[in-house]
Amino acid sequence: MKLKLDLENCYGIGRLQKEFDFSNKNVVLFYAQNGIFKTSFAKIFKSIKDDKQIKDEIFSERIPKADIEFNGEKIKKEDIFVFDSYDKEFDSSKSVTTFMASPKLKKEYDEIFSELDKQKKSLLKSLKKYTGSSDCEKEILKVFSNKNFYQILSDNIDFIKEIKENYEFKYHDIFDDKNKVKEFVDANRNLLQEYFYKYNEILSSSDIFKKTENGEFGTHKIKELQSALSDDRFFLANHKLLISNQEITTSENLNNLIQNEIDRILENKEIKSRFDEIEKKITKNQNLKDFKEAINKNKGILLKLINYEDFRKEVIFSYLNKKIEEIENLVSLYESQKERIQQIINASKQEQESWKKIIEIFNSRFIVPFEVDIENQDDVLLKNEVAKFVFRFKDNSNERIINKEKLENILSNGEKRALYILQILFEIEAQKNTNKPILFIFDDIVDSFDYKNKHAVTEYLDEIRENINFKIIVMTHNFDFYRAVARFGALKFMIHRNDERKIIFERGEYTNEFIKSLKGNNGKIEKNFITLIPFIRNILEYTK
């Protein structure tokens, strides 16, 4: 397998004609000083990968030429992966899914969820009409954390059935994304509690709402009664109710009686005074316009705000209750498949050896103050979700889980590059399943690394070169790294540029074992002493 290059005027490379034969060795090693070749060479292949025009960035009038053949064909962007010394934006999280579950398991999983998701989409679409929210699923998942949507419905189906309240306001009128209503509630909790206690005090003196030896007959019980009699069959059978010495003969009579009593309580002078005070505070805040409108339509909302998060659940159940038949069908389908879903997830977890290997390689070989894991393993395995990496930062005996963004803010440059290497490991392992020739180009990949992490990269390169489909170009200006890679067998070249801007490839030199060299140069003490300098430096680094 060969890589043929015919380049002119490409990112500072004036002329380059060369053929590299990977038939016997999968690694080509370039040693070049900074500013000579490496970055320009990597840019050419990145431009192909990113579908960008190759050019001379300084002398734009020069006509570029980039004829590149790989494996006997014009090179394609799918053939290429270029890894710089550090790329903060590089993200391999999507590639994790390519080796996390077998096609057979994934196919069965997708078939099960195909019908579930179809019913879920229909339900969410109809809920939008009541809630006004563009993403009802997100709102529900936010409230019931650590569970999937179907399990939430299944766990709460009885509560959804039993809910009697029928809220007409839009969800974000009370539970806004910026938490402005919650901030208002927290800031005015004492005032809301006064309103709540005064309401209950007056309610207890009502002729309809009563406390008895057997419990309270309050608004909740009365709503159950209203719901039970709402179809008028009780009254059509010539039955009647006597409530507070008033004869009730229809559900309309009952509803009017109850609503009039609630209105009477809410119009109580003391209650109204507190309501007006609350309303004034709301009016002062322009962000609470929709909230104000909602409570003016239904003053009873204020009574619920004391327990804000419980009220949120109640409101969600109220919306769901409007589509109870659809929800029961969806829950029934989910429960019938739940056991098999778990079996597939368990089986797929057993196929995580590639993923585990990468994590183990990184955690065991690279010297960094954190360990890495994947948070959403099940979803990555079977739902093609992007992997969410979590990092356990260790400080002596203390440990804390933090996200990637925060981690990057506290790491040194070398540690950031180690984190970048983790992304590279996943990308490379993902390509093992493609079963086609891949050209990997590493540009100063160990820049800013200490000896231990530099050795870890060298070890990994030595392992992946055994893959017959991986063709590797390693470019470096670090001579220690050059010698280390040269030891495991590579086509070696030392590169310079002549006055005509042509790139010259000369045979790689200076890769002998220095200990053997010392033994053969007993008379050259000064030269031997200089030779020992990098060796001693590495020993000191390794033993820190």
Side-chain angles (χ1 to χ4, degrees):
M1 186 178 298
K2 295 179 180 179
L3 174 68
K4 294 182 180 180
L5 304 170
D6 188 359
L7 309 175
E8 289 182 16
N9 302 320
C10 300
Y11 301 113
I13 293 177
R15 188 87 175 93
L16 190 161
Q17 286 182 309
K18 188 68 179 174
E19 178 179 291
F20 301 100
D21 191 346
F22 290 96
S23 300
N24 297 318
K25 295 181 178 180
N26 283 343
V27 182
V28 174
L29 176 61
F30 298 155
Y31 177 81
Q33 294 178 354
N34 283 333
I36 297 293
F37 164 77
K38 302 188 302 298
T39 300
S40 299
F41 188 80
K43 270 188 176 181
I44 293 167
F45 287 90
K46 281 199 284 188
S47 294
I48 297 171
K49 182 76 174 176
D50 298 335
D51 291 321
K52 291 183 178 178
Q53 183 67 42
I54 296 171
K55 58 188 177 182
D56 189 311
E57 292 178 306
I58 304 299
F59 300 96
S60 56
E61 70 276 8
R62 291 173 177 168
I63 300 173
K65 176 183 179 183
D67 293 335
I68 304 174
E69 285 186 13
F70 180 59
N71 196 26
E73 300 177 351
K74 182 179 179 180
I75 198 164
K76 302 184 289 291
K77 67 178 184 179
E78 294 81 11
D79 301 332
I80 306 165
F81 288 88
V82 181
F83 303 117
D84 293 323
S85 61
Y86 180 58
D87 181 356
K88 183 179 179 181
E89 303 303 319
F90 182 78
D91 184 6
S92 67
S93 51
K94 292 182 180 178
S95 298
V96 178
T97 60
T98 61
F99 55 84
M100 296 294 277
S102 72
K104 181 180 177 183
L105 285 175
K106 184 160 183 3
K107 183 173 183 291
E108 184 179 358
Y109 185 90
D110 288 344
E111 286 172 352
I112 291 173
F113 272 91
S114 175
E115 184 57 33
L116 281 169
D117 287 345
K118 181 180 176 182
Q119 290 192 27
K120 180 178 77 172
K121 285 177 183 177
S122 174
L123 171 64
L124 293 173
K125 184 178 179 180
S126 59
L127 282 176
K128 184 178 178 180
K129 169 184 165 186
Y130 303 112
T131 66
S133 172
S134 60
D135 194 342
C136 296
E137 182 177 11
K138 184 187 79 172
E139 305 294 354
I140 292 170
L141 292 175
K142 193 189 297 182
V143 176
F144 302 90
S145 57
N146 300 321
K147 291 184 180 180
N148 68 59
F149 180 78
Y150 306 104
Q151 191 61 51
I152 291 168
L153 296 184
S154 180
D155 289 346
N156 294 282
I157 186 69
D158 291 336
F159 296 111
I160 296 169
K161 286 180 184 177
E162 292 171 4
I163 196 78
K164 304 304 177 188
E165 298 289 352
N166 181 23
Y167 294 110
E168 299 295 337
F169 60 82
K170 301 304 181 186
Y171 185 79
H172 286 134
D173 292 351
I174 310 295
F175 308 102
D176 57 302
D177 286 337
K178 294 181 179 179
N179 284 323
K180 294 298 182 182
V181 174
K182 189 174 189 308
E183 288 173 7
F184 175 84
V185 170
D186 291 340
N188 296 277
R189 185 164 295 279
N190 290 339
L191 186 58
L192 288 168
Q193 283 178 332
E194 285 178 18
Y195 182 80
F196 177 78
Y197 293 143
K198 181 54 67 173
Y199 174 86
N200 282 317
E201 180 186 315
I202 297 171
L203 187 72
S204 64
S205 64
S206 167
D207 290 335
I208 295 176
F209 304 111
K210 300 284 186 181
K211 285 186 178 180
T212 70
E213 293 179 358
N214 295 325
E216 184 179 292
F217 183 73
T219 53
H220 182 74
K221 289 297 182 183
I222 205 71
K223 285 185 182 299
E224 288 184 352
L225 178 63
Q226 286 176 289
S227 176
L229 302 178
S230 61
D231 59 8
D232 272 334
R233 282 186 291 181
F234 175 84
F235 300 110
L236 291 173
N238 293 321
H239 299 307
K240 299 177 183 178
L241 290 176
L242 187 65
I243 299 178
S244 187
N245 296 320
Q246 294 187 52
E247 189 176 90
I248 306 299
T249 58
T250 67
S251 61
E252 185 180 357
N253 291 158
L254 176 62
N255 294 340
N256 289 337
L257 176 68
I258 301 304
Q259 191 58 51
N260 289 337
E261 179 64 5
I262 291 174
D263 290 344
R264 183 190 69 78
I265 294 170
L266 292 173
E267 290 301 316
N268 173 275
K269 186 177 178 180
E270 291 183 78
I271 290 283
K272 197 169 185 307
S273 172
R274 284 171 173 79
F275 179 85
D276 290 343
E277 192 176 347
I278 293 169
E279 187 180 38
K280 281 180 186 178
K281 287 182 176 289
I282 294 172
T283 303
K284 288 179 182 178
N285 191 331
Q286 291 297 317
N287 295 311
L288 300 177
K289 183 181 175 183
D290 293 333
F291 174 49
K292 178 184 176 182
E293 188 175 328
I295 65 166
N296 276 314
K297 287 181 179 177
N298 181 358
K299 293 181 175 65
I301 291 173
L302 286 178
L303 300 167
K304 302 283 188 175
L305 292 177
I306 299 295
N307 299 307
Y308 188 81
E309 294 304 326
D310 289 340
F311 183 44
R312 188 197 294 267
K313 288 184 181 180
E314 183 181 322
V315 170
I316 288 174
F317 289 159
S318 167
Y319 293 144
L320 293 172
N321 179 266
K322 298 175 192 289
K323 307 301 295 182
I324 189 61
E325 189 174 334
E326 286 184 42
I327 289 171
E328 286 181 315
N329 290 337
L330 182 55
V331 168
S332 176
L333 178 61
Y334 172 69
E335 288 297 332
S336 69
Q337 299 289 352
K338 184 177 175 180
E339 184 177 353
R340 182 53 189 153
I341 290 170
Q342 193 57 51
Q343 288 172 351
I344 294 172
I345 289 173
N346 292 339
S348 66
K349 283 181 178 178
Q350 295 173 13
E351 300 184 5
Q352 291 180 41
E353 292 310 312
S354 296
W355 168 77
K356 287 181 180 178
K357 179 184 175 184
I358 298 168
I359 296 295
E360 287 170 3
I361 288 172
F362 185 83
N363 288 339
S364 63
R365 296 185 185 177
F366 287 88
I367 310 302
V368 288
F370 61 87
E371 289 187 353
V372 66
D373 207 341
I374 292 179
E375 186 178 54
N376 55 334
Q377 295 176 38
D378 295 349
D379 291 338
V380 172
L381 285 166
L382 295 160
K383 293 170 68 176
N384 279 337
E385 285 198 5
V386 174
K388 294 177 183 175
F389 293 104
V390 292
F391 303 91
R392 292 180 177 84
F393 190 86
K394 296 186 175 182
D395 182 11
N396 296 326
S397 59
N398 298 315
E399 179 179 302
R400 182 158 295 175
I401 294 176
I402 58 177
N403 59 33
K404 181 183 175 185
E405 290 71 25
K406 186 170 184 179
L407 183 68
E408 286 179 331
N409 288 333
I410 59 177
L411 295 180
S412 68
N413 287 334
E415 289 166 346
K416 287 178 183 177
R417 283 173 168 78
L419 179 59
Y420 169 57
I421 292 292
L422 169 67
Q423 307 285 334
I424 292 175
L425 297 184
F426 273 105
E427 192 66 68
I428 292 172
E429 291 297 322
Q431 297 311 312
K432 287 183 177 179
N433 293 334
T434 61
N435 198 30
K436 66 175 185 178
I438 298 290
L439 178 65
F440 291 112
I441 298 174
F442 296 91
D443 178 17
D444 269 331
I445 198 67
V446 296
D447 196 30
S448 295
F449 274 7
D450 59 21
Y451 180 77
K452 294 177 183 178
N453 286 341
K454 196 184 301 176
H455 179 69
V457 173
T458 307
E459 260 190 323
Y460 186 68
L461 288 173
D462 193 15
E463 291 170 9
I464 65 171
R465 74 182 176 89
E466 300 295 333
N467 189 308
I468 60 172
N469 288 316
F470 287 179
K471 309 306 169 186
I472 301 164
I473 293 177
V474 178
M475 303 187 292
T476 185
H477 72 279
N478 184 302
F479 203 74
D480 289 342
F481 184 57
Y482 166 80
R483 284 166 50 81
V485 174
R487 285 194 196 103
F488 57 67
L491 295 171
K492 302 179 291 294
F493 297 92
M494 307 194 86
I495 297 169
H496 69 271
R497 183 173 58 199
N498 66 16
D499 293 339
E500 286 77 41
R501 300 170 48 248
K502 183 176 181 180
I503 302 300
I504 308 298
F505 292 83
E506 296 184 349
R507 186 168 66 91
E509 299 285 358
Y510 312 114
T511 58
N512 294 334
E513 294 286 347
F514 83 94
I515 296 294
K516 293 179 182 178
S517 179
L518 285 178
K519 289 179 179 178
N521 290 282
N522 292 329
K524 300 178 179 179
I525 301 299
E526 290 182 359
K527 182 178 179 180
N528 292 348
F529 180 76
I530 293 170
T531 305
L532 284 168
I533 291 173
F535 173 70
I536 298 300
R537 184 194 67 207
N538 287 340
I539 290 293
L540 290 173
E541 276 190 18
Y542 196 77
T543 54
K544 279 182 182 177

